[in-house]
Amino acid sequence: MEIIDGKSLAASVRESLKSEVQKLKKKGITPNLAVILVGEDKASQIYVKNKSKACLEVGINYEEFFLTNDTTMEQLLALIDRLNEREDIHGILLQSPMPKHLNIDEAFERISPKKDVDGFNPVNVGKLCLNQEGFVSCTPAGIMKMFEKYNIDIEGKSAVVLGRSNIVGKPMSLCLLNKDATVTICHSKTQNLAEITRNADIIVVALGKAKFLTKDMVKEGAIIIDVGINRTENGLVGDVDFENVKEVASYITPVPGGVGPMTVAMLMSNVVKSAKNFIGG
Ligand code: NAP
C-alpha cells in the first residue's frame, strides 16, 4: 500500500510553476488572479487565505474583492463584468458558498470562459464533456495529476465516483471517462452502493460524509481517492475510514495532505495557463 502524498506533489507543482511565472514576468506579464468572496462564511475565508498564500509563493498576483452579505446580483455581475474587461486579470474565482439570495449558476456563467480558472463556466464544462482543451475544475484536475505522477493506469479500469456535484463528482467522472475508464457515478439515490464499490478498481469519494467508505466496501488492491473534508470533534477527517481502508487499498490519499493541496496547486496552474493563453502560448 502506498499513501499518495498530495502535499509534496503540490509543492513540486508549485516549484515548477514558479519558474514558469518568472519566464512570463520576463515577457512583461504577471499572472493575476481576482478572488471574489461574498459574505462571511468562515471556511471560505480560510480557503481564500490559503489560496492567496499559495499565489504569492509562486509569484502570482492576487486581488481580493470582499463583498458584504447584502450584495445584490446586479452588483455581483457588475463586478464580474469589470474583471472580465480588465486585461491585467487572467483568472476570476468566485468562492462558494454564496448567500442564498444570489444565483451562483448565473454568476459562474458570467465569468469569461477565458478567465474561468475554476472551470465552472458551462463553456468549460461542455469542453470537458467533449474532451476538448479548456479549464478543468481544480479538484478533479489535481486528482488526475496524482494518477499521472504515481503512474497509475486508468485505461479500462472500473472507476466509481461517489458524489455527483457540479464542482467535483461530475467533472471527476468526465476526467476518468476521457482517460478511458469505465465510470459509474453514485449518489444519494443509488441502490446497493457497497456492491458497486466492491467491484471498483478506483474509487473517488466526494460526499462530505465522515468515514463513509469502510473496509468492507472496498476490494483488495483498489485505489482510493478521498476528496471529503469533514470537521469533527477529532479534527479534520475525510470521507474514507482511512485507518482500516488502507489495509486493503493499493494506493490511498490521506486527509489532510491529499487532494486538498493539489486542488490549490491546480488553481495556480490554471492561472498560469490563462496568462500564457493571453500572450498566445
Ligand atoms: P455536495 O455538493 O454536497 O455533493 C455531495 C454529493 O454526495 C451529492 O451528489 C449527494 O447526492 C451525494 N451523497 C450524499 N450523501 C450520500 C449517501 N449517503 N450516499 C451516496 N451519495 C451521497 O459536495 P461537494 O461540493 O462535491 O463536496 C464533497 C466533499 O468534498 C465535501 O466534504 C467538501 O468539503 C469536499 N471538497 C473537498 C475539496 C478538496 O479540495 N479536497 C474540494 C471540493 C470539495 P445527491 O446528488 O443525490 O444529493
Side-chain angles (χ1 to χ4, degrees):
M1 187 276 306
E2 193 168 351
I3 294 176
I4 298 181
D5 186 349
K7 203 171 163 193
S8 71
L9 204 53
S12 78
V13 172
R14 286 200 302 272
E15 222 26 65
S16 65
L17 286 174
K18 252 187 212 171
S19 60
E20 287 190 53
V21 170
Q22 287 314 317
K23 278 186 211 149
L24 281 167
K25 283 186 176 171
K26 280 189 188 133
K27 290 181 183 168
I29 186 163
T30 300
N32 196 2
L33 172 68
V35 174
I36 307 171
L37 177 61
V38 192
E40 273 121 42
D41 184 74
K42 286 278 173 280
S44 296
Q45 287 171 351
I46 296 170
Y47 293 144
V48 165
K49 207 169 143 207
N50 288 344
K51 286 168 189 170
S52 72
K53 219 174 110 199
C55 275
L56 297 176
E57 196 195 309
V58 300
I60 293 173
N61 258 358
Y62 181 85
E63 289 185 38
E64 285 168 345
F65 297 85
F66 289 134
L67 305 181
T68 53
N69 252 322
D70 57 358
T71 299
T72 64
M73 199 61 204
E74 288 69 33
Q75 287 167 328
L76 176 62
L77 294 179
L79 172 62
I80 293 173
D81 288 344
R82 281 203 303 282
L83 296 173
N84 280 338
E85 276 161 26
R86 273 180 56 182
E87 284 184 6
D88 62 329
I89 299 267
H90 309 102
I92 303 172
L93 183 152
L94 178 59
Q95 185 66 46
S96 65
M98 289 207 301
K100 292 274 177 288
H101 68 280
L102 297 172
N103 181 339
I104 197 154
D105 291 336
E106 193 183 344
F108 284 144
E109 205 167 333
R110 193 69 157 244
I111 294 172
S112 163
K114 287 182 180 162
K115 299 189 179 187
D116 171 39
V117 287
D118 250 343
F120 296 159
N121 180 288
V123 169
N124 283 314
V125 178
K127 284 186 173 176
L128 178 62
C129 190
L130 298 172
N131 201 4
Q132 293 173 2
E133 184 62 28
F135 288 114
V136 177
S137 169
C138 300
T139 300
I143 293 168
M144 296 311 283
K145 188 63 118 188
M146 283 174 160
F147 290 142
E148 186 192 312
K149 294 286 180 186
Y150 277 77
N151 291 318
I152 294 171
D153 193 17
I154 293 162
E155 189 185 304
K157 295 274 165 61
S158 155
V160 171
V161 179
L162 301 187
R164 58 173 165 182
S165 71
N166 290 340
I167 64 168
V168 188
K170 279 182 203 158
M172 185 72 243
S173 311
L174 290 166
C175 286
L176 289 162
L177 181 64
N178 289 343
K179 289 288 177 197
D180 298 323
T182 302
V183 184
T184 305
I185 308 169
C186 297
H187 45 78
S188 65
K189 309 287 187 295
T190 299
Q191 291 176 5
N192 305 322
L193 189 141
E195 239 168 67
I196 297 168
T197 56
R198 269 196 289 272
N199 283 312
D201 302 313
I202 299 169
I203 308 176
V204 181
V205 198
L207 303 174
K209 298 241 174 275
K211 299 188 180 184
F212 178 92
L213 191 83
T214 48
K215 189 178 164 185
D216 58 308
M217 296 165 78
V218 175
K219 85 170 172 193
E220 188 80 35
I223 295 152
I224 310 294
I225 308 292
D226 190 352
V227 181
I229 301 174
N230 307 286
R231 284 163 223 284
T232 70
E233 286 169 356
N234 305 320
L236 211 65
V237 298
D239 287 350
V240 175
D241 180 9
F242 181 84
E243 284 310 319
N244 294 310
V245 172
K246 78 175 176 9
E247 287 173 17
V248 285
S250 59
Y251 291 91
I252 188 165
T253 63
V255 176
V259 174
M262 284 304 287
T263 297
V264 181
M266 294 325 283
L267 172 68
M268 311 290 99
S269 174
N270 278 349
V271 178
V272 171
K273 175 176 160 177
S274 178
K276 280 187 191 163
N277 289 344
F278 270 75
I279 54 166

